[in-house]
Amino acid sequence: MSTVEELTDIVGKGHIITSPAKSLRYRKGYRSGQGSALAVVLPGNLMELWQVLKVLHDNNTIIIMQASNTSLTEGSIPAPGYDRDCVVVNGTRIKGVQLINGGDEVLAFPGTTLFKLENALKPINREPHSVIGSSNLGASVIGGINNNSGGALIQRGPAYTELSLYAQIDENDELHLVNHLGIELGKTPEEMIYNIEHRNFDIDNVPADNKRVGHNRNYEARVRDVSSHTPTRYNADPNELYEVSGASGKLAAFAVRLDTFPKDGDSQVFYIGTNDPSVLEKLRRHILSEFKNLPVSGEYMHKDAYQLAKKYGKDSLIVIDALGTNTLPYLFGMKATTERILSHIPTFKPYFPDRVLQHMGQLFPNQLPKRMEEYSQKYDHYLQLKMTGSGIEEARRFLKPFFAEEAGDYFEATPKEADRIATHRYVTAGVAIRYEEVFQKQHIQILPLDIALPRNEFDWFEHLPKEIEDKIEHKIYYGHFLDHVMHQDYILKKGVDAHELKQEMLKLLDKRGAIYPAEHNVGHLYHAASTLVAHYKRNDPTNSFNPGIGMTSMSKYWGNY
């Protein structure tokens, strides 16, 4: 019996895809990259997932673990150059959330999205580690843990846990199911899986684990240390690499146990504008080192990013505002299906749905708040400072005298303004891709970078030499300003090679002491740091899961790497 036949017996014909056209959405990256696969298989529960992994292991098949495929660096798709067959194992059908210990903790599974987790916690007034950005796309909880992603909520830091249930292929090429959840589930894989799926344990009396934690350690102290010459966070930080955390798909995570947090009470967004980037840095250092109450977040956007998002993110903002985030994963799936169908018709060029949406969006009036628009005419740099509780009054007491002395101004956003401000910042992440799709005839390339600057870096805003500036059509700067994690997307002029320019840009970043990528996983676009490679090898000594990640070896047992 062939590998595909064995997998079909497990999941059924409706949940295995062998057609290259139909499987493209699982094999193609969100921004770039594409690889081949023998099949895409979608198990419906943890037992099917275990059986699928056993078949793939027995047949010496490369395993690409995938959830929502929202990676921006090709980190959860196949890559060219494998020495064995490859199968994508997509876990999005394995849904569900188990609230344990009264909701103070949760168990999340391969198909659990951040959005679903947010909704499960709302009735008990609690939140997961992250509640903005990728939750709109339907990104998975386990995907976030795998990439140490997130961190916009500066009181909590990136996604992290040391409590998990995962499958691993050891140095003797034997497949095991490892239970480090801190919950007694039995001895055999089948017992563990049955007991966790059927909740055969006291969900409101799960013992604390004295060895392992379910959230990021000491993040507040790190973010407050504005004198440090190292970044606050980056996903190759050796302090944040533990089994599934930072695994980049080198283990098959079945479940993770995470802490939850009390939901913030009343909140207030202070919208800040200035023409002097040093003003924002002075503000940042004072807030982090002197405020009793840390902000919830501090999101930055440059004027050019603002204007481009206003034009090329308008339809996304309208959809989110009208339909909410719950429908977005389905809409993305429908768009991918439409693109696949139209790709067989010569009349339709690639990305036709996106180009239609772009034109339709321009038929609607401007969606951005009037005061926000006025700031876009007066200032080049904007900061969305969100405070809660007693921190609101603390910010008020500071900001008024601060801007009496410094260049710039601020206003207190209404709840409706705050929602639009946050959504506008979110849709900025897709602007470069949309621009590339709209102007595909020009064959331009985009160069996305996300960087972590040292905490003590005062001159945080980038100034490029003329020889590099001359190669760039648009610069899109936005990011998580308070912890100095910045996203810098470049739309290049026609004929400029993105790979060559990237090497020039990285040299400049090295001189500034920046670390990259900061939060999007090394994927197949960056070399993994030595600490990250060591973590990969510990997790996957046979190099059976996601080989080649971080530009490492694709060979079984890592070859000579």
Side-chain angles (χ1 to χ4, degrees), residues 160-352:
Y160 180 78
T161 187
E162 296 171 357
L163 300 159
S164 60
L165 176 70
Y166 60 86
Q168 179 183 41
I169 298 173
D170 68 15
E171 63 273 11
N172 298 316
D173 202 12
E174 295 180 354
L175 178 67
H176 302 276
L177 190 63
V178 180
N179 178 15
H180 284 168
L181 284 172
I183 304 172
E184 179 54 50
L185 295 173
K187 301 299 181 184
T188 69
E190 289 74 18
E191 286 177 325
M192 295 182 209
I193 291 169
Y194 182 86
N195 286 329
I196 193 172
E197 287 193 321
H198 290 81
R199 302 190 184 189
N200 285 345
F201 55 91
D202 188 347
I203 62 171
D204 288 321
N205 193 29
V206 177
D209 191 304
N210 296 322
K211 295 181 180 179
R212 301 180 178 91
V213 297
H215 71 279
N216 205 289
R217 290 185 179 92
N218 305 318
Y219 192 71
E220 180 173 336
R222 284 160 52 188
V223 79
R224 284 187 179 276
D225 185 5
V226 295
S227 63
S228 174
H229 66 280
T230 62
T232 309
R233 61 179 175 93
Y234 57 99
N235 56 13
D237 186 343
N239 296 313
E240 308 301 331
L241 303 176
Y242 190 96
E243 296 178 351
V244 171
S245 291
S248 304
K250 301 298 284 182
L251 297 170
F254 280 53
V256 293
R257 176 179 170 184
L258 302 165
D259 294 327
T260 67
F261 302 86
K263 191 173 184 179
D264 293 323
D266 293 337
S267 65
Q268 178 63 56
V269 171
F270 297 87
Y271 193 77
I272 297 165
T274 183
N275 287 316
D276 184 354
S278 70
V279 169
L280 294 186
E281 184 59 26
K282 292 174 187 176
L283 182 148
R284 169 186 171 269
R285 293 185 180 217
H286 180 89
I287 288 175
L288 294 181
S289 60
E290 302 296 334
F291 269 30
K292 180 179 178 181
N293 303 277
L294 271 182
V296 174
S297 61
E299 295 295 291
Y300 167 79
M301 185 183 292
H302 183 262
K303 182 174 184 173
D304 293 345
Y306 179 101
Q307 296 297 344
L308 286 167
K310 179 180 174 180
K311 183 173 183 179
Y312 296 102
K314 186 177 181 181
D315 59 291
S316 296
L317 186 147
I318 291 170
V319 169
I320 293 170
D321 193 53
L323 302 179
T325 59
N326 193 27
T327 58
L328 284 186
Y330 304 102
L331 294 177
F332 275 99
M334 289 172 59
K335 183 166 72 72
T337 301
T338 303
E339 287 177 348
R340 176 176 61 82
I341 294 170
L342 295 181
S343 67
H344 298 290
I345 305 174
T347 307
F348 294 97
K349 295 176 182 177
Y351 309 114
F352 178 77

Side-chain angles (χ1 to χ4, degrees), residues 309-494:
K310 179 180 174 180
K311 183 173 183 179
Y312 296 102
K314 186 177 181 181
D315 59 291
S316 296
L317 186 147
I318 291 170
V319 169
I320 293 170
D321 193 53
L323 302 179
T325 59
N326 193 27
T327 58
L328 284 186
Y330 304 102
L331 294 177
F332 275 99
M334 289 172 59
K335 183 166 72 72
T337 301
T338 303
E339 287 177 348
R340 176 176 61 82
I341 294 170
L342 295 181
S343 67
H344 298 290
I345 305 174
T347 307
F348 294 97
K349 295 176 182 177
Y351 309 114
F352 178 77
D354 281 286
R355 288 184 287 113
V356 170
L357 290 170
Q358 175 63 31
H359 289 299
M360 289 179 62
Q362 304 314 304
L363 300 177
F364 288 81
N366 181 23
Q367 303 292 303
L368 300 179
K370 180 180 178 181
R371 290 195 290 178
M372 192 179 175
E373 285 283 77
E374 290 173 351
Y375 269 45
S376 74
Q377 300 303 313
K378 295 169 62 176
Y379 303 116
D380 290 344
H381 305 275
Y382 322 113
L383 181 68
Q384 306 165 25
L385 181 68
K386 185 176 182 180
M387 305 295 299
T388 59
S390 56
I392 298 172
E393 190 57 38
E394 186 174 20
R396 286 177 179 144
R397 290 195 304 268
F398 167 69
L399 289 173
K400 188 172 182 178
F402 180 82
F403 281 109
E405 299 290 334
E406 300 288 348
D409 205 351
Y410 72 97
F411 65 82
E412 295 189 26
T414 66
K416 185 175 181 179
E417 286 175 327
D419 286 343
R420 289 288 176 88
I421 287 168
T423 304
H424 184 65
R425 156 64 183 85
Y426 162 69
V427 301
T428 307
V431 165
I433 301 171
R434 173 60 64 82
Y435 190 98
E436 183 183 33
E437 292 167 349
V438 170
F439 295 100
Q440 59 185 281
K441 287 183 179 180
Q442 298 181 20
H443 302 289
I444 60 172
Q445 296 187 51
I446 60 175
L447 172 58
L449 297 174
D450 62 295
I451 65 172
L453 294 169
R455 282 167 275 179
N456 65 353
E457 175 63 70
F458 193 88
D459 296 321
W460 60 274
F461 188 71
E462 182 175 70
H463 298 282
L464 296 171
K466 186 177 185 302
E467 59 269 23
I468 290 182
E469 283 276 9
D470 289 344
K471 298 176 182 179
I472 298 171
E473 188 71 34
H474 296 290
K475 295 176 293 187
I476 305 172
Y477 293 144
Y478 57 101
H480 316 300
F481 181 67
L482 295 181
D483 50 15
H484 266 187
V485 172
M486 307 302 295
H487 297 273
Q488 301 181 170
D489 297 344
Y490 307 91
I491 298 172
L492 309 184
K493 291 183 177 178
K494 186 176 179 179

